[in-house]
Amino acid sequence: MSIEPIILRSRLWSCDSKDTKPDGWAPGILLMELDTMFDISAQTRAAMPEVLTLPGTVDPHVHFRLKKTGQMAMVAAECATEHEATVDIPNVPGITSLEALRERYADIHSCIPYGQRTQVLMTPLVNDTTDPEFIRAARKARLIHGVKIFWQGVSNDYGNSISSAAGAEKLIRSLGDTVCTLHAECRDDYDGKRIPIKNREFWCVENEVSKIIKMNPEGTFVIRHISDRRTLQWIETQRGRGFNIHGELSPQYLILIDDDIFTGEDSHAALQCNCVFWPRPKDKHSQDAIRRAALWGVDWLHIGTDYAMHLEDFSQPSGVKINNKGVAVGGLNFLPRVAKSVLIDFYISHGRKDLLAPMLSGNAAKLYGIMLSDKQYKYMREDWVVPDYSMGKKEGVIPGQWHPVRSSCFLRGHTMHWRKAT
């Protein structure tokens, strides 16, 4: 695909498009055909290489969860196989001191299988009361490579969220060049009125994030898991004004629109509970915009999966994907090998194999200051099926006692076409 970025932009921001369905669009996560979506016809596949060579990859958005629940070991094993470096987002209680950071760092490394390795960085959550000295000390100790901000009421952040840009102003002004990453969603507007879910990201960007970047105009900011085409336009505008803002693109937004989550395999109404994640995907126009942005080739965009494995146990009141009251929390068990195969298909089918290295490695590594090896890794064109579950074990009440746990895999049952060579 050789279209210049400016042409892509002009189509991206066209709000009156008569195209009601992007190429290959199909309703329903279980009916969705990825091959059709990315135009991977038999002819296209026949022209694909049998082997790809890529540098070590980086996923700057991984939730390792907790060791005692079994999730940390499951996530660590998957990431160590696929990535040279990962950035942990510790959405768990108590990561508010150097000691807690060191303990978490040790826990994650203890879960990496013998004989494998991956760099693990952290971007802990901050809030209105976070001591700026804690952030400075953590950076000096190289325990963190950035911070993350949530707004109250939009995620399970265990109280580690800011009330508003104004409430966190002291901390924000103190960050300097620390990478400040943002889950840009607000639940309520300034009058206390509930914001519709489809508008929560852009309302936050236009109102709260705009204030944050002005509080620290020399800072580095990342809008994570962009779901709304208006956010992409806003980033471009602010970069044109001199602000250093980056965007994270998550592959699930290349695949899903909001309607898909509410469509079953028979094309009738159904809620795909294991496909609930935040921010919610938007409509076909935003999906098309995100796909186009992924093909721009700019250095201020990168891939981050928001890999958030949740356990299934409908008997439990909390701490699981769906609890005994039928409440579903957000997050996808999007295995790294699955996400990577989808992305390879996406870029090759659009004739942009050249963007795999910067989007999966170089751009994020430069942003977070990650040193990668010079090693090149081979990927084989080989069909395989995504498993139904990830299996693990969690600690029991009695020391030394363990219980099996499982998590449903995103895109389970779908055929992938690329596998990293062992």
Side-chain angles (χ1 to χ4, degrees):
M1 187 169 182
S2 59
I3 302 175
E4 292 296 323
I6 189 64
I7 298 176
L8 290 173
R9 290 189 186 96
S10 68
R11 293 183 64 187
L12 175 59
W13 311 131
S14 175
C15 298
D16 56 354
S17 172
K18 294 182 174 59
D19 178 20
T20 59
K21 294 181 180 179
D23 293 344
W25 180 87
I29 177 68
L30 297 180
L31 288 179
M32 180 180 59
E33 291 295 338
L34 294 176
D35 289 0
T36 302
M37 179 173 290
F38 295 154
D39 187 27
I40 308 177
S41 61
Q43 182 178 3
T44 301
R45 176 155 292 109
M48 284 184 174
E50 294 287 341
V51 180
L52 279 177
T53 303
L54 297 173
T57 53
V58 178
D59 191 343
H61 197 157
V62 174
H63 298 278
F64 277 86
R65 303 302 186 202
L66 293 170
K67 187 174 183 178
K68 66 181 181 181
T69 63
Q71 291 156 291
M72 185 178 284
M74 297 158 76
V75 172
E78 291 288 345
C79 287
T81 301
E82 291 294 331
H83 300 304
E84 274 202 11
T86 54
V87 179
D88 172 45
I89 315 297
N91 287 20
V92 296
I95 310 301
T96 56
S97 68
L98 293 180
E99 181 181 5
L101 286 171
R102 290 191 177 99
E103 288 179 0
R104 183 165 181 82
Y105 184 82
D107 276 350
I108 294 173
H109 280 82
S110 73
C111 290
I112 296 174
Y114 178 78
Q116 297 181 3
R117 65 185 302 271
T118 183
Q119 297 180 60
V120 180
L121 320 173
M122 280 183 275
T123 56
L125 309 186
V126 294
N127 59 27
D128 296 359
T129 62
T130 299
D131 184 352
E133 185 54 40
F134 161 59
I135 301 302
R136 284 191 286 266
R139 280 196 69 188
K140 185 176 180 180
R142 296 191 62 79
L143 290 169
I144 67 170
H145 282 64
V147 298
K148 184 172 182 181
I149 286 177
F150 280 107
W151 277 260
Q152 287 178 358
V154 299
S155 184
N156 302 318
D157 55 28
Y158 297 95
N160 291 314
S161 54
I162 67 169
S163 61
S164 63
E169 182 172 358
K170 178 182 177 181
L171 173 69
I172 292 164
R173 290 189 182 280
S174 75
L175 289 175
D177 63 352
T178 300
V179 178
C180 181
T181 74
L182 305 154
H183 180 131
E185 282 190 291
C186 289
R187 187 185 64 183
D188 302 318
D189 65 18
Y190 294 136
D191 294 324
K193 296 179 181 177
R194 194 62 51 93
I195 303 168
I197 286 180
K198 66 180 180 180
N199 290 324
R200 287 182 180 180
E201 178 178 292
F202 189 62
W203 190 95
C204 181
V205 164
E206 192 175 38
N207 293 278
E208 288 282 284
V209 179
S210 292
K211 292 177 180 177
I212 283 177
I213 64 173
K214 291 175 182 177
M215 291 173 182
N216 184 8
E218 303 303 318
T220 299
F221 301 92
V222 183
I223 308 297
R224 290 195 178 273
H225 42 48
I226 294 169
S227 68
D228 192 314
R229 63 177 179 166
R230 294 172 294 178
T231 300
L232 287 164
Q233 184 179 30
W234 181 89
I235 293 175
E236 279 201 300
T237 299
Q238 299 307 322
R239 286 186 63 83
R241 294 171 177 168
F243 293 103
N244 187 20
I245 307 175
H246 297 249
E248 177 186 275
L249 303 180
S250 299
Q252 51 269 39
Y253 296 97
L254 296 173
I255 297 171
L256 293 173
I257 64 171
D258 190 60
D259 287 352
D260 293 327
I261 294 174
F262 301 97
T263 307
E265 57 184 322
D266 58 0
S267 293
H268 293 160
L271 173 59
Q272 305 286 345
C273 289
N274 278 299
C275 293
V276 175
F277 52 94
W278 315 109
R280 287 263 292 280
K282 305 302 186 288
D283 60 15
K284 57 190 176 295
H285 298 298
S286 281
Q287 181 193 59
D288 197 36
I290 291 167
R291 290 180 180 179
R292 293 180 186 281
L295 297 167
W296 284 352
V298 294
D299 63 1
W300 50 268
L301 288 172
H302 61 268
I303 299 294
T305 65
D306 193 10
Y307 180 22
M309 178 186 289
H310 285 279
L311 302 180
E312 293 183 350
D313 187 345
F314 303 153
S315 70
Q316 297 300 309
S318 63
V320 293
K321 179 72 175 180
I322 307 169
N323 67 16
N324 57 17
K325 293 184 178 180
V327 176
V329 299
L332 292 179
N333 182 16
F334 202 165
L335 299 177
R337 52 197 156 118
V338 178
K340 201 176 287 185
S341 179
V342 168
L343 289 164
I344 291 172
D345 272 346
F346 174 77
Y347 279 104
I348 290 184
S349 69
H350 284 85
R352 296 308 306 268
K353 182 177 70 173
D354 60 302
L355 293 182
L356 283 167
M359 290 299 286
L360 274 69
S361 301
N363 292 351
K366 182 178 180 181
L367 172 64
Y368 287 94
I370 299 170
M371 297 296 294
L372 298 175
S373 73
D374 294 328
K375 186 175 180 179
Q376 297 289 303
Y377 299 84
K378 288 185 178 180
Y379 293 83
M380 314 298 294
R381 181 153 63 89
E382 176 185 329
D383 285 359
W384 58 281
V385 177
V386 180
D388 288 341
Y389 305 107
S390 294
M391 304 300 296
K393 57 184 181 179
K394 69 175 182 178
E395 295 180 14
V397 177
I398 301 172
Q401 183 184 66
W402 294 85
H403 302 287
V405 293
R406 78 178 194 186
S407 177
S408 286
C409 296
F410 180 54
L411 297 182
R412 54 195 176 277
H414 281 276
T415 299
M416 297 292 108
H417 305 299
W418 294 91
R419 184 190 297 274
K420 187 180 178 185
T422 56

